[in-house]
Amino acid sequence: MVRIDRIRLEYTNRSKKFTLTAVDKQNAFERQYNHIYVARLQALKPRILDAGKKQIGEEIEYKQLEDIELFEKAFVIGTITKRINTRPSVLKEIADEELIVPEDYDDGEVISTPSSRDVLEFEDEKQIVKLEGNIKMDEVATGCTVGLYGSQVKSDVFNVERIVWPTPCPQNSWPTNKTGGVVAFLSGLELTRNAVDNAHEFTSSVHYLSLSYKEASSNVETIACLDELLSRISNRVKLDLVPGVGDPCPQQLPQQPIHRACLPRSSASGAALTLATNPYEFSLAGIDILATSGRAVSDLRRLSGVCSSCDLIELMLRWQHIAPTCPDTVDGFPFENRDPFIMDGTFPHVMVVGNQPHPESRWFENVCGERCLMISVPRFSQTQLLVLLDLDTMDVYYEHFSVA
């Protein structure tokens, strides 16, 4: 018998902002989604203006688009929209069913693939313009709040000279104490009986496990299988469960925790099992970790030419927003006066996304001095990989399992 000593690591759940409140839920589905974009703009505007003054100069003046003269140099703040020609459209689906072909419909198009016909639009509180100049499709996403320095060259065209992203939120100091702790990240299980029988293999060298469940349709049998697996693991290590698409909880971001009634056996372990929100923010041994099921990252990949998960995480860190395409192409809760996906607390030491095509890890270093370890966790069902993070050295390594 192998003895496993569970190391007690200081833990703080910092995901309160992702939990829906009574105020959030009140008359929620009578609201329009524009409220969240307004809240996003108002929250990030001061930070963008601050960054603009640092990067361009204290003399820059923020203006509304309607107040700018043609060819006047100006600094504007607003929201990006990517007009992708091949983006899925319910109107095109209806037209296809009814055998009606719109004039601009190309039957050979690949859905959601960027093309030369795509355009960028920018909207402030009162006006919309198309963008040209020093800005690329793949460095922005629909829903990004950004500052642009340039000039309006036509009544409906703004020429970009410089892009300004929000000043990053502050980062806590890196811990100096050594704990000997190891965190494991696992996603996309596609559970089988063999996985449950071999659950002890997952915990042989792990002191803390963060698990993003299978992003697929759940049924009673798979939930029961998950419950048995979690009950075995939580007897050995501290375990967090982050929901994903198809799990028995609301599907809109931020997803609320899976109810303990769905997992009666593993819930008996009490504090050893944390049923978390998606996204999930927590601190472990003084290291601030931000984890998601990867849904927003996968959506960004679908609508851009960027393939690397770490490249997409880096963009999110620059944007200071972890789900800009929510609620446009990722289903989201209709918040009224706040946007929980803004990075407005502390800059994470580690950002983890699950259910990705390939394992990746890389450091991001911001010009202001913030450092973040970006980790892409692949689907276990396809790679049989468990991703491990040494909290002392911040080294990322992998364990491969042979699962029948």
Side-chain angles (χ1 to χ4, degrees):
M1 177 181 292
V2 178
R3 177 182 175 183
I4 300 174
D5 295 322
R6 180 185 295 175
I7 297 177
R8 291 187 176 275
L9 301 175
E10 184 180 351
Y11 162 82
T12 305
N13 188 333
R14 300 171 55 198
S15 300
K16 184 178 180 180
K17 70 175 183 177
F18 299 123
T19 302
L20 299 181
T21 66
V23 174
D24 291 330
K25 297 176 184 178
Q26 186 175 7
N27 301 321
F29 296 100
E30 297 178 6
R31 302 177 195 143
Q32 297 292 320
Y33 275 107
N34 70 297
H35 291 293
I36 193 170
Y37 291 108
V38 172
R40 186 178 303 175
L41 177 61
Q42 295 305 315
L44 290 175
K45 185 188 292 185
R47 293 167 58 182
I48 293 173
L49 187 57
D50 175 70
K53 290 182 177 180
K54 291 177 180 177
Q55 296 175 28
I56 302 172
E58 289 289 338
E59 69 280 0
I60 67 164
E61 183 180 357
Y62 159 64
K63 286 190 174 184
Q64 297 280 347
L65 286 170
E66 66 173 6
D67 298 326
I68 301 174
E69 301 290 338
L70 280 180
F71 304 106
E72 175 190 1
K73 299 289 186 182
F75 184 62
V76 294
I77 300 175
T79 304
I80 294 288
T81 300
K82 294 174 76 168
R83 297 296 180 189
I84 298 178
N85 188 65
T86 56
R87 172 178 163 173
S89 167
V90 67
L91 295 179
K92 287 186 177 181
E93 292 178 10
I94 294 173
D96 186 54
E97 290 176 1
E98 300 295 330
L99 300 180
I100 302 171
V101 182
E103 291 182 3
D104 65 342
Y105 184 72
D106 180 358
D107 189 51
E109 290 175 342
V110 179
I111 297 300
S112 298
T113 300
S115 73
S116 59
R117 288 180 287 177
D118 301 340
V119 296
L120 290 175
E121 291 182 351
F122 174 86
E123 179 179 4
D124 65 6
E125 288 94 333
K126 298 181 180 180
Q127 189 175 337
I128 300 175
V129 292
K130 294 179 181 179
L131 298 179
E132 65 177 27
N134 188 27
I135 187 169
K136 299 176 182 177
M137 290 288 294
D138 288 343
E139 62 183 331
V140 296
T142 292
C144 285
T145 302
V146 63
L148 300 176
Y149 181 73
S151 58
Q152 197 159 340
V153 294
K154 295 180 183 178
S155 60
D156 63 342
V157 178
F158 189 89
N159 183 70
V160 179
E161 295 183 16
R162 187 162 186 171
I163 303 173
V164 177
W165 297 111
T167 298
C169 52
Q171 185 175 53
N172 290 328
S173 300
W174 284 83
T176 56
N177 296 332
K178 303 298 182 182
T179 63
V182 175
V183 183
F185 300 99
L186 186 67
S187 70
L189 284 175
E190 301 280 353
L191 287 174
T192 65
R193 169 56 50 186
N194 190 57
V196 176
D197 293 339
N198 292 310
H200 67 278
E201 293 187 52
F202 294 140
T203 61
S204 60
S205 60
V206 175
H207 306 108
Y208 196 98
L209 177 64
S210 181
L211 187 150
S212 176
Y213 183 44
K214 167 187 172 184
E215 291 214 344
S217 59
S218 300
N219 55 42
V220 174
E221 291 183 1
T222 57
I223 292 298
C225 193
L226 173 68
D227 190 22
E228 184 176 351
L229 174 64
L230 297 183
S231 66
R232 296 191 183 190
I233 296 176
S234 59
N235 286 331
R236 298 170 178 265
V237 297
K238 175 74 172 65
L239 174 67
D240 295 343
L241 179 63
V242 178
V245 174
D247 290 341
C249 62
Q251 299 302 292
Q252 294 174 313
L253 289 182
Q255 284 184 273
Q256 301 305 286
I258 296 174
H259 199 282
R260 287 188 178 271
C262 298
L263 305 166
R265 293 183 60 179
S266 50
S267 294
S269 61
L273 172 66
T274 297
L275 297 175
T277 58
N278 174 34
Y280 175 43
E281 193 170 7
F282 64 103
S283 177
L284 190 65
I287 295 175
D288 299 327
I289 301 175
L290 175 59
T292 79
S293 71
R295 189 169 163 191
V297 170
S298 297
D299 188 63
L300 289 174
R301 181 185 295 108
R302 183 173 64 88
L303 298 171
S304 77
V306 181
C307 296
S308 165
S309 298
C310 283
D311 286 346
L312 293 167
I313 298 171
E314 181 174 331
L315 288 173
M316 289 178 166
L317 293 171
R318 295 188 188 279
W319 300 336
Q320 289 290 280
H321 202 283
I322 59 175
T325 58
C326 176
D328 182 55
T329 50
V330 173
D331 195 13
F333 185 85
F335 291 97
E336 184 172 20
N337 298 314
R338 68 187 187 100
D339 180 0
F341 307 114
I342 295 173
M343 299 177 70
D344 55 2
T346 58
F347 200 93
H349 295 122
V350 180
M351 185 167 176
V352 184
V353 296
N355 297 289
Q356 297 304 295
H358 308 288
E360 294 179 61
S361 65
R362 193 172 75 220
W363 283 96
F364 167 76
E365 296 192 19
N366 199 27
V367 292
C368 299
E370 298 85 4
R371 297 175 67 243
C372 178
L373 178 60
M374 305 175 293
I375 301 176
S376 165
V377 182
R379 289 181 179 272
F380 185 82
S381 61
Q382 298 176 3
T383 63
Q384 288 77 56
L385 283 181
L386 180 71
V387 180
L388 299 158
L389 172 64
D390 188 312
L391 294 179
D392 291 341
T393 64
M394 299 305 292
D395 290 334
V396 177
Y397 53 101
Y398 308 95
E399 289 284 349
H400 185 270
F401 297 88
S402 178
V403 179

